[in-house]
Amino acid sequence: MEYTMDMFFRQMWVDERLKFEGPTEILRLNNKMVEKIWTPDTFFRNSKKSISHNMTTPNKLFRIMQNGTVLYTMRLTISAECPMRLMDFPMDGHACPLRFGSYAYTSSEIMFTWRKGLIASVDCPPESISLLQYDLVGQTLSSEVFKSSTGHYSVQVVHFHLQRKLGYYLIQTYIPLIMVVVLSQVSFWINKESVPARTVAGITTVLTMTTLSISARQSLPKVAYATAMDWFIAVCFAFVASALVEFAAVNYFATLQANRLKRQNVRRDKLEVLATGSEDGDTVSLDSSPQEGLKRRNHSVCRSEIEAPPVPIFLQQGSAVPQIPQLAGTSPIDTYARVLFPLTFALFNLVYWYIYLAKDTMEGARDVELPN
């Protein structure tokens, strides 16, 4: 990752060749005079792009004191590399380094030091800080020695500690995900005979969850590990998919029960027909033929079916009314799901937010940068 900063870079050194005497204590010279004296060849080691501002004139300040002390200030815009660990995204913190030192002079020739110490040498005024996604919680200063094949070089390091702001991701990702999971659990309260309604609700929530997960990953770099947001999305997707699987289980067991009741009804009808036939056989005269007895039994069965009260047409067409009255009511699976799913999801949110909000992500960022 990269970060860009605009700063005033001040350097001060002593050149005894520039000592002078006179009434003027400080010589305020034009920036073109810098080319006439020796200046340190300072460069930024982890920068990718550096710009020196030249509008309307070069933004440089050059002064010489009587004792030979030189103050050289310039305005720079630097884009530097920042190693980031995104396992805790978006509750993550980062320590972005800025390293600078001499390019050609070794530590035996030039030694860089912080003029005002490790606390006051870098000043970040609040009015000049404008960060939309991060909070600048502080900075730490240190000195290092860079070892290479050409020698040892003095390097100064500044770590800017950045804490990501959670508000944007809370509004754009977390709250919509929670609402989708809650909506998927509303289907547990819909009558199990309303197959189209529950199917549409389940598929819609799954597709919505997929769209939210894709949009959440678009603003992230392609990392090979799962972030905190990825774990939350995966668990929410599992809850939504489980709600759809739960209705499939409810429908499957309801179908088994319906088939069982149909077989029982068919068996009972056969037994009633046989019982009715035996009763009619006792009342038939001896001279009547078997065909007349069969007609009488069929006539009695048809008469009993016709005498049954008809079902209103609006009830026959309603998808929420079961065709078999014995199947009416709430499924035991729905009864358990109405309690287990919300409680499990609430417990997951409690554990998730407690772990990541109580975790010191800035401490992890410092641990990554200190060995450097």
Side-chain angles (χ1 to χ4, degrees), residues 187-193 198 245-255 257 326-339:
S187 62
F188 301 151
W189 299 87
I190 301 177
N191 195 349
K192 64 178 182 295
E193 286 78 22
R198 296 190 64 165
V245 173
E246 185 270 347
F247 172 64
V250 170
N251 190 42
Y252 174 75
F253 288 108
T255 303
Q257 186 179 3
Q326 291 83 350
L327 296 179
T330 305
S331 172
I333 300 178
D334 281 339
T335 303
Y336 288 112
R338 293 173 183 177
V339 179

Side-chain angles (χ1 to χ4, degrees), residues 68-81:
T69 301
V70 180
L71 174 63
Y72 183 37
T73 302
M74 64 184 69
R75 184 188 174 195
L76 302 175
T77 298
I78 298 176
S79 298
E81 296 178 348

Side-chain angles (χ1 to χ4, degrees), residues 51-315:
I51 300 175
S52 178
H53 294 265
N54 296 317
M55 294 299 294
T56 56
T57 60
N59 299 168
K60 297 178 181 180
L61 183 145
F62 179 46
R63 294 178 180 177
I64 302 178
M65 288 69 169
Q66 286 185 349
N67 60 354
T69 301
V70 180
L71 174 63
Y72 183 37
T73 302
M74 64 184 69
R75 184 188 174 195
L76 302 175
T77 298
I78 298 176
S79 298
E81 296 178 348
C82 180
M84 291 185 176
R85 293 193 309 176
L86 299 176
M87 277 81 74
D88 298 326
F89 175 86
M91 284 78 69
D92 53 338
H94 305 283
C96 296
L98 181 64
R99 294 182 172 90
F100 61 91
S102 176
Y103 186 84
Y105 297 100
T106 62
S107 58
S108 60
E109 297 170 324
I110 293 181
M111 179 62 67
F112 285 85
T113 59
W114 296 106
R115 179 172 175 269
K116 296 182 180 180
L118 299 179
I119 298 178
S121 294
V122 175
D123 183 21
C124 298
E127 62 273 7
S128 64
I129 298 176
S130 178
L131 300 175
L132 297 178
Q133 297 187 20
Y134 293 93
D135 287 324
L136 182 60
V137 297
Q139 61 273 348
T140 56
L141 283 65
S142 61
S143 299
E144 299 177 355
V145 175
F146 178 76
K147 299 179 181 180
S148 68
S149 59
T150 57
H152 297 177
Y153 299 89
S154 176
V155 178
Q156 302 299 95
V157 184
V158 186
H159 285 102
F160 299 98
H161 300 287
L162 303 174
Q163 183 69 45
R164 195 185 301 271
K165 295 180 181 179
L166 183 60
Y168 172 80
Y169 302 95
L170 194 65
I171 296 174
Q172 295 293 327
T173 304
Y174 281 99
I175 292 180
L177 289 175
I178 294 174
M179 295 302 298
V180 171
V181 174
V182 172
L183 289 176
S184 68
Q185 297 177 4
V186 172
S187 62
F188 301 151
W189 299 87
I190 301 177
N191 195 349
K192 64 178 182 295
E193 286 78 22
S194 301
V195 177
R198 296 190 64 165
T199 304
V200 170
I203 296 177
T204 302
T205 51
V206 170
L207 295 178
T208 304
M209 186 67 64
T210 304
T211 304
L212 289 175
S213 63
I214 294 175
S215 62
R217 292 287 300 179
Q218 287 180 349
S219 59
L220 278 178
K222 304 301 184 292
V223 294
Y225 48 84
T227 64
M229 180 180 290
D230 291 333
W231 289 116
F232 191 87
I233 293 175
V235 173
C236 291
F237 191 89
F239 271 98
V240 172
S242 299
L244 188 59
V245 173
E246 185 270 347
F247 172 64
V250 170
N251 190 42
Y252 174 75
F253 288 108
T255 303
L256 291 181
Q257 186 179 3
N259 294 333
R260 190 182 305 112
L261 290 176
K262 288 181 179 179
R263 288 194 297 269
Q264 292 177 358
N265 292 335
V266 171
R267 189 180 302 109
R268 185 175 61 252
D269 292 342
K270 290 182 179 179
L271 293 177
E272 290 179 355
V273 170
L274 294 176
T276 304
S278 61
E279 292 176 359
D280 293 342
D282 296 339
T283 58
V284 176
S285 59
L286 295 177
D287 56 349
S288 61
S289 62
Q291 289 78 6
E292 294 179 356
L294 180 60
K295 292 180 180 180
R296 184 173 298 177
R297 287 196 298 269
N298 293 337
H299 179 70
S300 62
V301 173
C302 295
R303 185 174 60 253
S304 63
E305 293 178 354
I306 294 174
E307 291 176 357
V311 179
I313 188 64
F314 69 91
L315 291 179

